[in-house]
Amino acid sequence: MRFVDNTKINLKIKPLSIGILMIIYTSIVFFSTMLVYWMMLLFSFLLLIAVKKKKSIPLFIFYFALFGLILLVSSKCTISGWIGSIYTMGLIILKLFPLWTLAAILSSFGTSTIIYSLRNLRLPHSLCIGVSIFFRFIPEYRAYLSEIKEGLKARNMGLSIIRPIHSVEIYLVPMIYKAFETGEILSCALITKGIEYDCKKTSYEALSFTWKDYSIILVGFVFLGITIWQKL
């Protein structure tokens, strides 16, 4: 298992403020106009650059590559059948990209940091652990996909447009195995750290809100207000 070094992460922006922004984005992303969508996307990228500049470059490239592919398919192909399904999936990914960007930011924070931030909201203990582990292991599963891809290359296997179900299977089965393996490791780690012990938990990091966090949340509410105003 790989462990991410979080010592270089800019903790001036707190994970809880990013989480609140994600909730606001989720409530308006399918109802916002293109203007609000572009503003949300731009703001998300700016936050990602502020927190993890290196991670923003591949995500930026992926977005514009997918955007270009969608434009190409819409202008050159007949949108029907499996092409229409892939096209619709691509549109959904583009629509939700501001949320993916915020998720990439949250995955940059340490697990303990996210857990303590959620505890400050008096959320259930099991929910705090589940959410923090989910965002913590997004980079891990991207690494797993790379390992699976290399293994398939060695076996002269890969994605095939002719056999889409088989293409999904050769990636899905190893991912399920990795998920079970990761679950066993996490269970041992949580028991060792006494995560279920009933006592007040503390944190080494100062996670109180600053003006930057309040500004981030304010921008999110501005997007929400603009969307509501445009729909009325």
Side-chain angles (χ1 to χ4, degrees):
M1 178 182 293
R2 296 176 177 82
F3 293 93
V4 178
D5 181 11
N6 294 300
T7 58
K8 297 181 180 179
I9 292 175
N10 184 2
L11 289 178
K12 292 180 180 179
I13 296 176
K14 307 302 184 298
L16 189 55
S17 60
I18 302 298
I20 295 173
L21 188 62
M22 286 189 71
I23 295 173
I24 297 173
Y25 273 21
T26 304
S27 63
I28 64 176
V29 69
F30 285 110
F31 308 101
S32 61
T33 60
M34 287 304 298
L35 176 61
V36 177
Y37 168 77
W38 288 117
M39 289 193 299
M40 290 194 300
L41 183 65
L42 177 61
F43 188 60
S44 299
F45 271 122
L46 290 176
L47 289 175
L48 182 59
I49 292 171
V51 175
K52 202 75 172 178
K53 186 180 294 184
K54 291 183 179 179
K55 186 177 289 187
S56 64
I57 298 173
L59 204 61
F60 188 82
I61 294 173
F62 175 77
Y63 177 82
F64 279 98
L66 182 60
F67 187 80
L69 182 61
I70 291 295
L71 291 178
L72 182 64
V73 170
S74 62
S75 61
K76 300 294 184 180
C77 301
T78 302
I79 309 301
S80 62
W82 65 270
I83 295 179
S85 300
I86 296 175
Y87 177 78
T88 303
M89 188 181 300
L91 288 178
I92 293 174
I93 293 174
L94 286 179
K95 192 66 175 179
L96 295 176
F97 216 84
L99 286 170
W100 306 143
T101 308
L102 294 180
I105 296 173
L106 278 181
S107 67
S108 300
F109 293 97
T111 308
S112 59
T113 304
I114 299 176
I115 290 176
Y116 189 75
S117 298
L118 294 174
R119 281 178 182 152
N120 288 338
L121 295 178
R122 302 293 189 269
L123 295 176
H125 188 55
S126 57
L127 179 63
C128 297
I129 296 174
V131 172
S132 60
I133 289 176
F134 171 78
F135 286 107
R136 166 62 180 80
F137 275 87
I138 289 176
E140 294 294 331
Y141 280 95
R142 284 204 301 263
Y144 291 160
L145 281 174
S146 298
E147 293 176 2
I148 294 170
K149 186 177 180 180
E150 293 299 322
L152 293 175
K153 280 183 180 180
R155 294 170 175 82
N156 198 24
M157 300 172 65
L159 296 175
S160 174
I161 299 177
I162 302 175
R163 304 174 64 190
I165 297 178
H166 175 71
S167 299
V168 173
E169 286 178 348
I170 60 178
Y171 279 90
L172 183 60
V173 173
M175 285 295 289
I176 293 174
Y177 171 77
K178 283 288 187 182
F180 282 119
E181 183 182 11
T182 303
E184 292 179 2
I185 296 172
L186 282 175
S187 298
C188 294
L190 291 174
I191 293 172
T192 302
K193 294 181 178 180
I195 200 74
E196 295 181 349
Y197 187 70
D198 187 16
C199 65
K200 183 179 179 181
K201 307 297 192 301
T202 59
S203 174
Y204 290 108
E205 299 164 354
L207 296 174
S208 56
F209 273 20
T210 64
W211 66 270
K212 292 183 179 180
D213 300 287
Y214 289 116
S215 299
I216 289 171
I217 297 172
L218 178 61
V219 170
F221 278 113
V222 169
F223 293 153
L224 177 61
I226 293 174
T227 303
I228 294 174
W229 177 74
Q230 290 177 336
K231 293 299 178 181
L232 293 178

